[in-house]
Every structure is written in C-alpha cells, then in structure tokens.
Amino acid sequence: MIRELWYNNTIMKCEICHKNEAQTAIPTIVNGVEDELYVCTECAKNEKLRRQKKSQRTRKGSLLPPGLSMSVTQIGGSEPPPPQLIEALMNAVQSAFPGIRPAGDLEGEDSAPEIEAFEPPANSAAPKAVAPEPKEEVNLKGIEKPFILAGGMQLEGLFLIGEIDAVKRSAHALGMELSGYSIDGIFDSGHIYRLKYCGDFERALRFRDEIVRQERNARVRLFEDMVRYFEDALCRALSILKNARLLSSGELLDLLSPLRLAALESMLDGITLRRLEAMVAAIDIYSGEETLDVRQRDKIDAERADDMNKRFEDVVLNERAEDRFQ
C-alpha cells in the first residue's frame, strides 16, 4: 500500500535519515514484497550510489587493502600439465575397440587417437569405408544428479580446465559424438552435452561413464588446484548477470552453468541451488528467438537482462568460497 507524504497535516520525514523532509519515493523489497521508501533528495542519491556499488560486487568481502584491485587477466603457467584425458577415455573402451591406437602426448595434434582406416587393394576402385553417422542417444540413467542438467551431461568442469575438445576428439575417434545445445547463436551453450553413437550400446555406455568420471576429476581440480580459473569464471558470470543490459537465453545458460558448480559446493550467498536449477529449467533450449526481427529480440533480451540484474543483485561468493580462493 502506497503511503502518503502528508499524514494528519504533518510532513513525512525521510525513512532513512529520519531528519529531512521526504521528497521522493524509491523502490525497495521487504520480505520479498515490492514496496516504496519515502526519502529526502540526499538519501535518494546515496541509496542510488550504494546500489550501483552493490550491483558490481561479486564477493561478500574484500580481502585486499583499500585502493588495491586484483587482476585475473594473467594466469600463470605453473599449473601441472593436464591429465591424459584422451588416453584415459580410450582405455575405458579399449577391449571393445582393438583397432584404436593408444593416445600419446596431448600437446601434439598428431597424438589424438585414430581408428585404423580401411585401405582398399592397389588399383582397386572400391571406395573407402565411411563410418555411419551417430544417431542413437545414450540415456542418462545411472548418472548422479550433479552431473545432469537440462537433459544432458553438464561438463562445465572439463570446459573450464580446457579438456572438452579432447573429449570430443575421443568421441569422434570412437564413432560417437558429443552434441551440445545451440541457442541464439551460442554453440555448446552451458557446456551441456548428449552422447550420440551408432553400433555397440554397451561400448557407448562405458564411454559415457568414463566421461562423467573425468568430469568429476575436473571439478576436483577446479576446487583444489585451479581455483583461480574457477574464481574467474564465477566472478565474470556474476558481474555480467548483475550488469548486463542485453542477455540472450543462450548467454544466460552459459552464465548459470559455472554458478551451478559453485552452488553444489555451497559457495554462494543470495541464491540456492534449487533456484538456479529452476532458472535453467525455464530456459527454452530450442529457442525460436533467432527467427524474430532485431527489434523484437532486443526487447526480449533487455527484459531478460533487467530480470537477471534484480535476481542477482544480492548474490555474492560467501565465506566458504573466499576461504577456498584466497
């Protein structure tokens, strides 16, 4: 209920400083309900400045002395070399695919495992064998919930440590395919994948389980050995969600994905895992917004950005996250 500036012929005082005359109203939220505060001009300016600073904050508190800032643009190369993912993935199905050569050093392009190609006899006009296109999809039955999102496997950990391409190459070598979502021009949005295959279902199932195992390992590395990478991803996502003026559904899914990893580890204040997953579920992964004209898309993206600005205004990394990242 909107209150009056005049009450019983008495001028209403500012509801913040309680000294000056109330001259304007500013929106606020009390116990989840929209309301208004009647304030003086000076308090209105101060409140606006406070909210602007708050909207750019991703941490609950600052660990740095006043006047100093932290840059995450230069991440050192002191991290240990990445695990031999291709070798591990291929070894998981080696017995069922004896024609695969073992993987070598991941740093070389030529080290990617290959299926031995069929070579026709000399002077033969017979064409080379063409592998059938993967069409069947491996189900998610038996996979733990933390690794499932939006109907696929959430491989955000493998993406953040830089190993998702190695997994894709391994799948291709086995005649399989990691299929991501393409939403509003954002490819592999949210780094959520479905595994497609042709032929042996049991082999595909073994490969799927090995991917999940490697994703679990990737998340452990993020939380324990590559914390700066993880912190960077979270702070970037929060900063954009707090301040973006235009936000497509594909971008939104991309930003929510690393935050879900943080929520699974209870690293966020201001939002719950359940709420984050509900926001992901509300995204139309088969969005038809690309068919709209530019003006319509901008209007939808602007409304989405405004909504996210409000929802994430109070979301910050909590003390548990700060203890891990310091």
Side-chain angles (χ1 to χ4, degrees):
M1 181 177 65
I2 299 179
R3 291 158 289 184
E4 299 291 340
L5 292 178
W6 286 81
Y7 182 73
N8 292 336
N9 295 321
T10 302
I11 296 177
M12 189 173 186
K13 293 292 186 179
C14 172
E15 294 187 271
I16 293 180
C17 69
H18 304 291
K19 296 179 180 179
N20 301 323
E21 176 185 337
Q23 296 168 306
T24 185
I26 58 175
T28 187
I29 297 178
V30 179
N31 297 325
V33 179
E34 292 186 3
D35 201 350
E36 288 182 327
L37 280 178
Y38 290 89
V39 299
C40 64
T41 303
E42 186 64 26
C43 286
K45 290 180 180 178
N46 292 337
E47 181 66 12
K48 181 179 180 181
L49 180 61
R50 186 189 71 82
R51 292 184 181 185
Q52 285 177 337
K53 290 180 178 179
K54 186 178 182 181
S55 71
Q56 299 187 27
R57 183 167 56 99
T58 59
R59 297 176 172 184
K60 194 166 187 177
S62 175
L63 299 177
L64 300 176
L68 295 182
S69 61
M70 178 183 290
S71 170
V72 293
T73 57
Q74 297 293 331
I75 299 178
S78 59
E79 294 288 347
Q84 302 295 307
L85 267 191
I86 292 180
E87 184 174 6
L89 290 165
M90 301 303 260
N91 286 343
V93 293
Q94 184 75 28
S95 60
F97 220 138
I100 298 176
R101 294 196 295 271
D105 188 354
L106 282 177
E107 293 180 358
E109 279 296 320
D110 295 335
S111 65
E114 300 176 355
I115 301 175
E116 295 181 355
F118 166 75
E119 294 290 346
N123 301 322
S124 172
K128 291 184 178 181
V130 178
E133 181 181 352
K135 293 183 179 180
E136 300 294 328
E137 186 174 327
V138 182
N139 61 55
L140 303 176
K141 185 177 180 180
I143 298 180
E144 297 174 63
K145 288 185 178 179
F147 302 98
I148 299 176
L149 189 64
M153 295 181 290
Q154 185 192 18
L155 305 183
E156 185 68 29
L158 286 166
F159 168 75
L160 289 175
I161 71 170
E163 291 295 345
I164 196 65
D165 286 340
V167 180
K168 289 182 177 180
R169 292 200 304 272
S170 298
H172 179 73
L174 291 168
M176 304 180 201
E177 177 189 358
L178 275 182
S179 178
Y181 296 126
S182 177
I183 308 174
D184 299 328
I186 305 296
F187 296 100
D188 290 357
S189 180
H191 309 108
I192 301 166
Y193 299 91
R194 294 167 296 169
L195 180 62
K196 296 183 178 181
Y197 73 102
C198 57
D200 192 333
F201 170 73
E202 293 299 326
R203 178 169 62 238
L205 200 61
R206 283 194 294 272
F207 186 66
R208 182 208 68 176
D209 291 344
E210 182 62 22
I211 291 175
V212 173
R213 190 176 77 85
Q214 293 298 337
E215 170 64 17
R216 181 184 290 106
N217 293 341
R219 295 184 186 185
V220 171
R221 291 192 70 204
L222 279 176
F223 300 147
E224 296 183 356
D225 303 325
M226 302 175 69
V227 291
R228 180 60 68 92
Y229 286 84
F230 191 34
E231 182 184 19
D232 180 63
L234 298 179
C235 288
R236 286 176 186 269
L238 284 174
S239 295
I240 294 173
L241 289 166
K242 288 170 178 280
N243 297 284
R245 310 313 298 155
L246 293 169
L247 194 61
S248 71
S249 55
E251 290 175 301
L252 177 58
L253 184 55
D254 244 0
L255 297 169
L256 294 179
S257 187
L259 292 180
R260 184 188 184 236
L261 298 193
L264 285 166
E265 293 295 312
S266 302
M267 289 182 169
L268 298 177
D269 272 357
I271 196 166
T272 63
L273 172 62
R274 184 176 180 180
R275 184 64 180 270
L276 274 172
E277 291 181 336
M279 292 169 66
V280 170
I283 297 174
D284 182 6
I285 58 177
Y286 303 106
S287 173
E289 292 177 16
E290 288 182 325
T291 61
L292 303 176
D293 62 41
V294 175
R295 182 174 298 180
Q296 290 174 311
R297 290 173 61 182
D298 284 350
K299 183 177 184 295
I300 294 173
D301 289 352
E303 291 173 349
R304 182 183 292 114
D306 291 344
D307 183 33
M308 292 302 112
N309 293 167
K310 293 178 182 178
R311 292 193 187 198
F312 282 89
E313 182 180 24
D314 295 324
V315 179
V316 293
L317 301 181
N318 60 22
E319 288 90 348
R320 175 178 168 82
E322 296 292 2
D323 291 342
R324 180 62 61 89
F325 294 146
Q326 66 180 336

